[in-house]
Amino acid sequence: MEDILEMITRAVMKELENLPPSGAAQVAAPPVEGPSQAAPPAQEALRDLSGGALVDLTSDAMVDLTSAAMVDLTSAAHKAVPTLQNPQNPEALAGMKRRTPARIGVGKAGPRLRTDTMLTLRADHAVARDAVFRDVDPALLGELGLFSVQTLCQDRNEHLTRPDLGRRFSPETTNELKAKCRQAPQVQIYLSDGLSSQAVDANARDILPSLLDALRDYGITAGTPFFVRFGRVPAMDAVSEALGAEVTCVLIGERPGLATADSMSAYIAYKATVGMPEARRTVVSNIHKGGIPAVEAGAHIAGLIKTMLERKKSGVELQL
């Protein structure tokens, strides 16, 4: 069945390539009489599938069949279906696939991956690339009341190739932060795209209000939240020094993988300073719909911040 759907899809795509451009004038050709009338190439390609008869690509049955072939390869429902042929224990395999996004039970075609597995890999890779290269939705930042600043990176390419520039701000940007943000807060929270803008779009609406509400319940004062474009994790150290925050927390998009592209992490540090060891950061990772739910993560992060303020430590020292 998989081979048939692949042949149909290929034939339909070939038929579409023969269509005139959108908006172009279409002149109907006079019909050709008699048995010499030739079928379109795509129909000829489908002769064998219909027992030698020509296939009407515009028929309802054909539309239904080709639509069934064009599924969302990145959907959880599609990935939950094992493609391994004749598994010894189908129920156990299905149960394992429900518990992990790992690519198990995919089978093979000789020494190669099956077509469906390869297409799913390519689709997930495309989603990961989009998460890295796209920008956070400006409407979301407006909805959350966040003003935006930028690191020394000038564009996305520089952000990816010069991590050092994503850790620093210009003097003008530093002055803007000082002018727009509350000075010396107990906690300074901000969001950053990092390596997945999609993570911000997917989680910010839930995690930021949850975190701020939980801090308020603890009686902890939070500074003015904002958004950093082209940011890396150590940019939080420059933010901490500029605003004199006791604790600084950045909610940042993590490097996407082939299992998820919308994972966010929270990096938190007590009195962070530029150049400090990475061991001074506390991290809450895997924040997304398939990991730690954003609302739950916000409440958990608030509890960690409360402990940091009480013990005046973060990172490895907090665990000792």
Side-chain angles (χ1 to χ4, degrees), residues 177-193:
L177 287 175
K178 291 179 178 180
K180 292 183 176 180
C181 295
R182 180 184 303 172
Q183 291 294 306
Q186 282 184 287
V187 183
Q188 178 60 56
I189 299 165
Y190 73 93
L191 282 79
S192 183
D193 48 9

Side-chain angles (χ1 to χ4, degrees), residues 140-156:
L140 171 65
L141 301 181
E143 178 184 331
L144 296 175
L146 305 178
F147 71 90
S148 181
V149 295
Q150 187 169 311
T151 62
L152 293 180
C153 297
Q154 297 303 307
D155 53 41
R156 186 64 62 185

Side-chain angles (χ1 to χ4, degrees), residues 237-271:
D237 306 339
V239 169
S240 173
E241 289 190 356
L243 301 179
E246 192 169 355
V247 170
T248 304
C249 172
V250 56
L251 305 172
I252 191 169
E254 287 286 15
R255 180 182 292 105
L258 295 177
T260 182
D262 57 5
S263 182
M264 172 181 279
S265 288
Y267 288 81
I268 321 160
Y270 181 80
K271 291 191 175 180

Side-chain angles (χ1 to χ4, degrees), residues 47-271:
R47 272 185 187 276
D48 293 339
L49 299 180
S50 58
L54 290 178
V55 177
D56 180 5
L57 294 175
T58 63
S59 67
D60 291 341
M62 187 65 188
V63 170
D64 292 342
L65 190 55
T66 53
S67 296
M70 297 180 184
V71 299
D72 180 4
L73 297 176
T74 65
S75 68
H78 176 76
K79 295 177 182 179
V81 179
T83 56
L84 178 65
Q85 295 181 334
N86 304 316
Q88 185 173 355
N89 190 333
E91 293 78 13
L93 177 58
M96 290 170 64
K97 288 187 71 67
R98 285 193 297 269
R99 292 176 176 272
T100 176
R103 297 171 201 279
I104 60 175
V106 296
K108 61 180 181 177
R112 299 170 298 173
L113 295 174
R114 296 174 62 83
T115 300
D116 182 81
T117 304
M118 178 57 71
L119 292 177
T120 303
L121 276 168
R122 295 185 65 179
D124 284 337
H125 184 252
V127 171
R129 285 178 59 87
D130 287 345
V132 172
F133 284 99
R134 62 185 290 272
D135 283 328
V136 170
D137 184 2
L140 171 65
L141 301 181
E143 178 184 331
L144 296 175
L146 305 178
F147 71 90
S148 181
V149 295
Q150 187 169 311
T151 62
L152 293 180
C153 297
Q154 297 303 307
D155 53 41
R156 186 64 62 185
N157 183 65
E158 193 168 60
H159 170 57
L160 296 175
T161 57
R162 292 291 305 275
D164 56 313
L165 298 182
R167 300 167 184 163
R168 311 198 315 263
F169 301 98
S170 67
E172 294 77 14
T173 300
T174 300
N175 290 334
E176 181 181 359
L177 287 175
K178 291 179 178 180
K180 292 183 176 180
C181 295
R182 180 184 303 172
Q183 291 294 306
Q186 282 184 287
V187 183
Q188 178 60 56
I189 299 165
Y190 73 93
L191 282 79
S192 183
D193 48 9
L195 292 176
S196 176
S197 296
Q198 184 172 315
V200 178
D201 286 348
N203 299 292
R205 286 185 178 88
D206 293 326
I207 192 169
L208 185 59
S210 170
L211 175 53
L212 292 175
D213 287 346
L215 290 174
R216 193 177 301 113
D217 290 343
Y218 285 131
I220 298 172
T221 304
T224 310
F226 56 91
F227 173 75
V228 172
R229 190 177 184 223
F230 301 149
R232 296 282 183 161
V233 172
M236 66 184 291
D237 306 339
V239 169
S240 173
E241 289 190 356
L243 301 179
E246 192 169 355
V247 170
T248 304
C249 172
V250 56
L251 305 172
I252 191 169
E254 287 286 15
R255 180 182 292 105
L258 295 177
T260 182
D262 57 5
S263 182
M264 172 181 279
S265 288
Y267 288 81
I268 321 160
Y270 181 80
K271 291 191 175 180

Side-chain angles (χ1 to χ4, degrees), residues 273-291:
T273 56
V274 174
M276 73 178 192
E278 292 297 312
R280 286 185 55 193
R281 303 187 206 281
T282 295
V283 185
V284 178
S285 60
N286 208 36
I287 302 170
H288 60 93
K289 61 184 178 182

